[in-house]
Amino acid sequence: MYSVIKGVGHAVPERVLTNQQLEEMVDTNDEWIVQRTGIRERRITDANTATSDLAIQAARQALENAQVAPEDLDLIIVATVTPDHAFPSTSCLLQRELEAWGAAAFDIEAACTGFIYCLSIADQFIKSGTYRTVLVLGAETLSKITDYTDRNTCILFGDGAGAAVLQAGEEPGLMAVEIGADGRGGELLVQPAGGSRNPASTETVKNRQHFIKMAGREVFKFAVRIMVESSKRVLEQAGISGQDLALLVPHQANLRIIDSACKRLAVDPEKVVVNLDRYGNMSAASIPIALSEAAQQGRIASGDHVLLVGFGGGLTWGAAVIKWK
Ligand code: ACO
């Protein structure tokens, strides 16, 4: 039994935040941001929009493209570091909106690698025969935990949601997937307060501890190394090489990270999906949105091999090879 992606979908908020607008907010400039990251603008939700509002749009689109009804879902998994609430889970909010009463639902947290973790988990349920149809999402509103007085981070992040419907099939499908973690790098990417270590208090708010803190240079080095290593391992598992790929969908953190990884994997730059210029880094949502856009643009044909690869807070990483149907 294999997991087959039957449909994908995505949603981003309408409001655009440009580099020029950020110039008004912190000591930065368009040229620096474009040269150092490749990002030109990102999408930002308004005060009334939460992660589940974007997730539901992406989910409905993926279900429609897959021609799967909500009542056929056995499981919903949402990867997010910006859930609507600590509980109930964002996946339970989706289950309610979709009226998918037959589906179990839970969230997972693997930062930017979340969507690949979802694929791996869904694959276990499908391969074991436990479930037949699983909806997976990466959905984030990072703008809600971004410090717009910190130029080191506020230029990077945006909001969005991407979804995929996986179903059991006789042929692949998902050919290979790996997930990994190295908790020793945990402090490189952290939201210090709001959990049980530092519950919300006047003090934590005053000290801006509810916002993302990042050691950019260290994450950068980790990202380049792990994207290449993890990609090579899943390509080998799938029995193909970088040249056999029709498409590479990397996590969208920084264009220099993507370029450097592609060079080392000998993947033609034309085969790489890049949307960070328009959206920035949307954590768990980046990969499924890039995949959904590529599918919408007709960049993937049936039988094509697609490599997804990501890294993120935790630290975590993951990669997957898909044979597109
Ligand atoms: N505008 C202008 N100058 C800036 C800005 C800015 N927005 N930000 C930093 N600088 C300055 C720094 O202060 C520094 O100045 P100094 O040399 O006087 O100290 C200089 O630019 C260079 O700073 P670096 O941090 O060395 O810049 P670098 O080239 O490493 O780029 C960046 C920084 C873009 C953050 C990069 O390191 C990066 O992309 N890292 C990876 C981040 C990432 O992938 N995060 C993903 C996970 S997110 C998640 O999991 C939720």
Side-chain angles (χ1 to χ4, degrees), residues 26-29 32-33 36-37 81 111-112 142 151-153 155-157 189 212 214-220 223 251 253-254 256-257 281 283 311-313:
V26 288
D27 179 17
T28 190
N29 58 80
W32 191 95
I33 302 173
R36 304 309 290 167
T37 72
V81 295
C112 307
L142 292 181
R151 71 174 184 176
N152 292 305
T153 54
I155 59 156
L156 299 172
F157 301 119
L189 262 166
I212 302 170
M214 183 181 76
R217 241 174 276 183
E218 283 73 17
V219 176
F220 192 102
H251 176 49
N254 187 315
R256 289 185 293 137
I257 295 176
N281 178 352
S283 191
F311 62 92

Side-chain angles (χ1 to χ4, degrees), residues 190-195 197-199 204 207-213:
V190 59
Q191 182 186 22
R197 181 64 61 193
N198 296 305
T204 61
N207 294 333
R208 313 187 79 76
Q209 287 178 291
H210 296 268
F211 295 124
I212 302 170
K213 311 286 177 203

Side-chain angles (χ1 to χ4, degrees), residues 57-318:
Q57 295 174 45
R60 290 213 163 100
Q61 207 182 91
L63 287 164
E64 194 183 317
N65 289 334
Q67 298 195 316
V68 165
E71 53 266 33
D72 294 333
L73 291 175
D74 300 311
L75 175 65
I76 302 170
I77 318 173
V78 177
T80 184
V81 295
T82 47
D84 289 29
H85 314 281
F87 58 89
S89 65
T90 303
S91 52
C92 280
L93 301 178
L94 276 194
Q95 192 239 29
R96 181 172 65 188
E97 280 299 307
L98 292 169
E99 301 184 20
W101 308 129
F106 61 85
D107 289 1
I108 64 123
E109 202 272 78
C112 307
T113 322
F115 185 75
I116 295 179
Y117 268 66
C118 280
L119 288 180
S120 177
I121 298 165
D123 192 40
Q124 308 310 313
F125 278 113
I126 288 173
K127 278 200 305 216
S128 67
T130 308
Y131 291 139
R132 193 179 144 66
T133 309
V134 182
L135 171 66
V136 293
L137 296 101
E140 303 281 12
T141 46
L142 292 181
S143 65
K144 311 274 182 178
I145 58 165
T146 295
D147 184 349
Y148 288 100
T149 67
D150 174 14
R151 71 174 184 176
N152 292 305
T153 54
C154 75
I155 59 156
L156 299 172
F157 301 119
D159 302 342
V165 176
L166 278 79
Q167 214 161 40
E170 297 298 320
E171 292 168 46
L174 194 54
M175 296 175 72
V177 59
E178 79 155 27
I179 54 176
D182 184 352
R184 287 169 297 188
E187 72 282 1
L188 299 179
L189 262 166
V190 59
Q191 182 186 22
S196 59
R197 181 64 61 193
N198 296 305
S201 67
T202 316
E203 199 67 8
T204 61
V205 172
K206 200 178 84 202
N207 294 333
R208 313 187 79 76
Q209 287 178 291
H210 296 268
F211 295 124
I212 302 170
K213 311 286 177 203
M214 183 181 76
R217 241 174 276 183
E218 283 73 17
V219 176
F220 192 102
K221 280 185 244 163
F222 164 75
V224 173
R225 176 176 63 78
I226 207 68
M227 296 240 296
V228 175
E229 289 176 7
S230 188
S231 295
K232 283 185 174 163
R233 281 194 293 266
V234 288
L235 286 170
E236 195 182 323
Q237 264 184 55
I240 63 168
S241 77
Q243 281 94 330
D244 297 323
L245 291 172
L247 212 62
L248 169 60
V249 184
H251 176 49
Q252 308 281 313
N254 187 315
L255 193 56
R256 289 185 293 137
I257 295 176
I258 294 175
D259 285 346
S260 150
C262 291
K263 220 172 274 166
R264 293 196 210 179
L265 290 167
V267 175
D268 179 351
E270 285 186 1
K271 294 180 176 172
V272 182
V273 182
V274 173
N275 66 12
L276 57 72
D277 52 328
R278 290 175 290 128
Y279 299 142
N281 178 352
M282 298 172 288
S283 191
S286 277
I287 289 176
I289 291 176
L291 182 66
S292 173
E293 284 195 333
Q296 266 181 9
Q297 292 159 1
R299 289 182 73 179
I300 328 175
S302 188
D304 278 353
H305 291 110
V306 181
L307 170 65
L308 315 181
V309 58
F311 62 92
L315 297 169
T316 56
W317 70 87

Side-chain angles (χ1 to χ4, degrees), residues 13-32:
E14 273 173 29
R15 187 176 152 208
V16 176
L17 178 64
T18 64
N19 289 352
Q20 287 73 19
Q21 287 169 305
L22 283 165
E23 286 177 5
E24 310 287 313
M25 298 157 72
V26 288
D27 179 17
T28 190
N29 58 80
D30 176 57
E31 195 192 347
W32 191 95

Side-chain angles (χ1 to χ4, degrees), residues 41-63:
E41 56 187 45
R42 55 303 276 143
R43 300 299 183 93
I44 304 292
T45 46
D46 60 31
N48 299 320
T49 306
T51 296
S52 69
D53 299 318
L54 299 175
I56 190 72
Q57 295 174 45
R60 290 213 163 100
Q61 207 182 91
L63 287 164

